[in-house]
Amino acid sequence: MKQIAMVTGATAGFGRAIAQRLVHDGYRVIATGRRQERLDALAAELGPDLLPFRLDMDDAAAIAALPGSLPQEWRDVDILVSNAGLALGMEKAQEADIANWQTMISTNVTGMVELTRVMLPGMVARERGHVITLGSTAGTYPYTGGNVYGATKAFVRQFTRNLRCDLLGHNVRVTNLEPGLCGGSEFSQVRLRDNAKAEAVYEGTKPLLPTDIAETVAWVLSLPRHVNINEIEMMPVCQAAGGLAVARGMKD
């Protein structure tokens, strides 16, 4: 029997690339997202091993009902790839739009933990499973305007570390992937709401791409069941963590 993977945020970017790679590698994939037409296009591309399933990560009731909402033959989910997430705005904290903060928390934190909670009991009962979360280097390294987005990704890291403790004694693995600068997705367009500014983010760089993230997911899943990769921090060669900043000429 082919293993079943659920990939959230599969309508673009990392999620789409991960879904494509996993079907190629012989998994059956439940691809979730809000844009039904994109999910249907992905299903048309990848065939019967991909199940398009509309899911809004802000809809707590839909998440709670998810295990029973899936077709019977798709319910034993072996792998959960929690990819859905977003960043909104680059304003400093004192200038930020509180609605953007609330949306990031709702999607990156609340929706992610609710989905994890409903999928874990089945994995534990079957004594097999793998939870893979998409964190970010922003959860480790602060930068101006990163405020709540970085905090949500720090939450993801600590949540997965605690999952490892809770799941000790069960054959359920947990991995957090933390990419740095990544192009080829809608991330910067969504964050900046300006295509020209989004393109400028990657000008003169060779960033990571969604296929690089999918390759990493595939590698983690390919390891023997007794091997757990706790965390992977990855950056393109053109990126490094910045040094400490100093403001000069400040008034007393």
Side-chain angles (χ1 to χ4, degrees):
M1 292 283 295
K2 292 182 177 181
Q3 291 190 71
I4 298 174
M6 175 178 288
V7 180
T8 67
T11 57
F14 296 174
R16 179 181 173 85
I18 293 166
Q20 290 170 321
R21 177 58 187 264
L22 293 186
V23 170
H24 179 269
D25 286 354
Y27 295 88
R28 299 168 68 205
V29 174
I30 304 165
T32 79
R34 292 180 298 175
R35 292 172 286 189
Q36 187 67 52
E37 69 284 358
R38 293 199 179 190
L39 295 175
D40 292 341
L42 193 59
E45 173 194 336
L46 298 175
D49 280 338
L50 185 128
L51 175 69
F53 194 92
R54 189 182 185 284
L55 181 68
D56 187 337
M57 295 300 291
D58 289 334
D59 189 339
I63 291 173
L66 182 60
S69 301
L70 293 168
Q72 187 67 45
E73 65 274 20
W74 288 88
R75 292 183 181 180
D76 291 347
V77 174
D78 302 288
I79 300 153
L80 172 61
V81 182
S82 283
N83 162 74
L86 78 169
L88 294 172
M90 284 288 291
E91 296 82 9
K92 294 179 181 180
Q94 63 271 25
E95 302 162 354
D97 183 341
I98 193 70
N100 285 344
W101 282 7
Q102 291 167 337
T103 299
M104 286 187 282
I105 293 168
S106 176
T107 303
N108 301 356
V109 175
T110 306
M112 183 271 297
V113 299
E114 289 173 348
L115 182 58
T116 303
R117 176 62 183 84
V118 301
M119 301 310 295
L120 276 179
M123 294 183 182
V124 170
R126 294 186 295 273
E127 283 293 332
R128 70 175 189 272
H130 199 151
V131 176
I132 299 177
T133 54
L134 265 295
S136 171
T137 55
T140 302
Y141 308 107
Y143 57 86
T144 302
N147 42 69
V148 167
Y149 174 68
T152 65
K153 293 305 184 178
F155 179 96
V156 171
R157 184 199 314 117
Q158 193 63 20
F159 179 63
T160 56
R161 289 176 176 177
N162 280 279
L163 282 183
R164 285 283 297 122
C165 296
D166 292 343
L167 293 166
L168 188 64
H170 299 283
N171 288 316
V172 180
R173 301 188 286 182
V174 184
T175 302
N176 183 37
L177 303 184
E178 298 185 333
L181 183 69
C182 289
S185 74
E186 299 175 341
F187 179 84
S188 290
Q189 286 91 336
V190 171
R191 183 175 210 172
L192 302 174
R193 295 171 177 162
D194 184 310
N195 288 340
K197 289 181 180 179
E199 290 175 6
V201 171
Y202 309 103
E203 186 175 347
T205 74
K206 189 171 183 179
L208 298 174
L209 296 172
T211 51
D212 299 319
I213 310 307
E215 176 73 21
T216 306
V217 170
W219 174 73
V220 167
L221 291 173
S222 74
L223 295 172
R225 286 184 64 192
H226 71 282
V227 178
N228 191 92
I229 302 299
N230 296 332
E231 298 170 355
I232 296 178
E233 178 184 288
M234 52 195 297
M235 293 181 180
V237 175
C238 66
Q239 185 183 32
L244 296 176
V246 176
R248 303 182 187 279
M250 293 180 64
K251 296 179 181 180
D252 291 337

